[in-house]
Amino acid sequence: QKEVEQNSGPLSVPEGAIASLNCTYSDRGSQSFFWYRQYSGKSPELIMFIYSNGDKEDGRFTAQLNKASQYVSLLIRDSQPSDSATYLCAAARPSYDKVIFGPGTSLSVIP
Amino acid sequence: DTEVTQTPKHLVMGMTNKKSLKCEQHMGHRAMYWYKQKAKKPPELMFVYSYEKLSINESVPSRFSPECPNSSLLNLHLHALQPEDSALYLCASSQFLGQGGETQYFGPGTRLLVL
């Protein structure tokens, strides 16, 4: 079982819709979680981090964490074509010595 | 400011060459990382430095040699690479290695092609 899992996609949503990206993790001791956006040929860009159960909102982005279910999600409201990218979910190991990345979900927002 | 810079942006080298990748941050971060990323794959951790000391080496071949001359700089020395080492090499930094300091910020990367 991989430590951090994501649907590889591609996930296609129409412009203006809500895109929902999901991530599960296997190590119950993980405490910190991150969402990165990566455009093709570019480096990962931090979008959100979340430590506490519940929702965390930043503009059009909402991260949701459910530690009991070992589940993290990212909602993108009013999706724009510029949101088309690969979204990487990452979890910090309980020892906090490294961050484990999921395989990424490719999102395509159709105009 | 959450900027991490990397040079060069692109590098082409032969298998007998020696070259170095450079990374710099001025955010006062005390943890710095080297990752390797192949197309359509997530970043793969290579090395972690914490307070200028090597903390993690993910069993990387010795043809990759990291160096952390000071708290702002991180180098990756390359020697006798193989074509399969062609990839995007990413540097990242975080406040420190530990709870609360683990949010990583990435540089733009160096795209390396080994011929």
Side-chain angles (χ1 to χ4, degrees):
Chain A
Q1 182 188 10
K2 291 183 182 173
E3 293 187 62
V4 178
E5 301 205 52
Q6 300 178 251
N7 292 330
S8 61
L11 173 67
S12 292
V13 300
E15 184 175 355
I18 295 175
S20 178
L21 303 162
N22 304 318
C23 173
T24 57
Y25 60 96
S26 61
D27 195 330
R28 188 169 286 279
S30 297
Q31 298 286 334
S32 309
F33 304 89
F34 309 89
W35 283 101
Y36 288 87
R37 176 176 62 196
Q38 188 171 25
Y39 293 113
S40 181
K42 301 294 186 182
S43 66
E45 173 193 7
L46 181 71
I47 298 176
M48 300 273 287
F49 57 86
I50 186 165
Y51 303 139
S52 304
N53 269 332
D55 295 359
K56 180 180 179 182
E57 187 174 318
D58 184 0
R60 294 187 297 114
F61 299 96
T62 299
Q64 299 174 316
L65 174 60
N66 184 326
K67 290 184 181 177
S69 302
Q70 295 176 242
Y71 175 86
V72 192
S73 67
L74 180 69
L75 300 178
I76 307 175
R77 288 182 299 281
D78 187 25
S79 295
Q80 301 297 308
S82 57
D83 294 326
S84 299
T86 295
Y87 289 80
L88 296 162
C89 172
R93 288 205 308 201
S95 56
Y96 298 99
D97 60 343
K98 64 192 253 186
V99 164
I100 308 297
F101 284 88
T105 298
S106 174
L107 172 66
S108 180
V109 180
I110 312 300
Chain B
D1 181 14
T2 55
E3 188 178 28
V4 178
T5 59
Q6 289 187 246
T7 55
K9 286 188 170 54
H10 302 276
L11 179 63
V12 179
M13 60 187 290
M15 289 190 283
T16 58
N17 292 156
K18 284 185 183 181
K19 296 286 185 185
S20 296
L21 309 184
K22 296 187 184 305
C23 173
E24 191 166 4
Q25 57 86 16
H26 293 289
M27 296 178 278
H29 288 178
R30 303 312 298 269
M32 296 185 76
Y33 310 77
W34 279 115
Y35 287 88
K36 172 183 177 181
Q37 188 177 27
K38 294 280 217 177
K40 300 193 186 302
K41 297 288 187 185
E44 179 185 335
L45 184 66
M46 300 174 73
F47 302 103
V48 181
Y49 273 83
S50 176
Y51 288 86
E52 297 96 72
K53 288 187 169 31
L54 184 64
S55 181
I56 295 177
N57 176 342
E58 290 286 340
S59 303
V60 178
S62 60
R63 57 186 185 267
F64 296 92
S65 175
E67 179 196 19
C68 190
N70 60 53
S71 61
S72 300
L73 290 173
L74 186 65
N75 298 322
L76 186 63
H77 303 298
L78 313 173
H79 174 55
L81 294 193
Q82 303 297 309
E84 59 265 27
D85 296 322
S86 299
L88 180 67
Y89 286 83
L90 295 162
C91 175
S93 71
S94 69
Q95 278 188 296
F96 51 86
L97 205 60
Q99 187 175 4
E102 69 274 43
T103 302
Q104 293 181 27
Y105 298 90
F106 284 86
T110 293
R111 188 158 298 282
L112 174 67
L113 178 61
V114 181
L115 299 176

